[in-house]
Amino acid sequence: GTGGLVSPQARAARRGYMGREEAKAQSKEAQQAKEKAAFEKKQAQRDKQWEVGAKDTSGDAAAAAKAAEAAARRAERKAIEEEEGAMGKSTKPKKKDDVKKGPTKAEKAQRALLAAQALEKAEKAAKKTPKKDAAPAAASGDVASASEGVGELTIS
């Protein structure tokens, strides 16, 4: 035969070997298929997570409002009791009443609620018209006084 006239690529093709270009193309296709499969898997996970849903925060505002109302009721009841207690006694105040301690739990809760409401209002205003409404809401005196004496306040 004419064994010397056949090119090395043709001889390799007859034997079933791949040339460099074919191998490269095939590996590229395999890589693309692998990436596509990974992407599909990732999308499926995301879809599954969306079905589960994000954290339901609908009850948080109601719970905060309820806690604030309860704190306000407790503060009011305490004020009434102190007033009634002062009626039956002499007008001279006790020494411990003169010493002002830090804010009460009710005051702290009220301030936390005001801070949360101010933050929500500021965020809503910033979403609507960031130039006009955001500055007055942040500059108002309520926000500064509401944030005093408040520990960690996390709003999710």
Side-chain angles (χ1 to χ4, degrees):
T2 56
L5 296 175
V6 180
S7 70
Q9 288 93 356
R11 202 175 312 136
R14 260 189 263 148
R15 289 187 185 143
Y17 296 117
M18 282 188 281
R20 191 167 169 221
E21 290 80 18
E22 290 100 350
K24 202 172 179 182
Q26 197 175 51
S27 107
K28 190 175 180 182
E29 287 175 17
Q31 184 63 29
Q32 284 176 341
K34 188 175 169 185
E35 287 173 1
K36 187 177 182 198
F39 177 76
E40 293 294 330
K41 186 176 177 184
K42 200 177 194 181
Q43 283 297 108
Q45 281 297 105
R46 285 186 181 150
D47 292 345
K48 185 176 173 187
Q49 187 60 42
W50 273 105
E51 284 174 18
V52 170
K55 181 183 174 216
D56 182 21
T57 58
S58 59
D60 291 355
K66 190 174 179 183
E69 288 175 17
R73 282 196 307 270
R74 283 194 298 269
E76 189 177 345
R77 191 178 331 124
K78 186 177 179 185
I80 291 172
E81 286 174 2
E82 287 177 1
E83 199 176 292
E84 288 174 351
M87 284 179 189
K89 298 179 182 175
S90 66
T91 55
K92 188 174 179 182
K94 294 177 185 175
K95 288 184 181 178
K96 69 177 182 180
D97 288 347
D98 289 339
V99 179
K100 178 85 172 130
K101 293 182 182 178
T104 64
K105 284 184 180 180
E107 289 170 341
K108 285 181 183 178
Q110 187 66 26
R111 286 180 182 175
L113 179 69
L114 286 172
Q117 289 173 344
L119 182 66
E120 287 179 17
K121 191 181 280 186
E123 286 174 352
K124 286 180 183 176
K127 285 180 185 174
K128 289 180 183 174
T129 52
K131 293 177 184 172
K132 293 179 183 174
D133 294 342
S140 72
D142 290 349
V143 177
S145 65
S147 62
E148 289 177 11
V150 177
E152 293 179 17
L153 175 68
T154 53
I155 302 172
S156 53

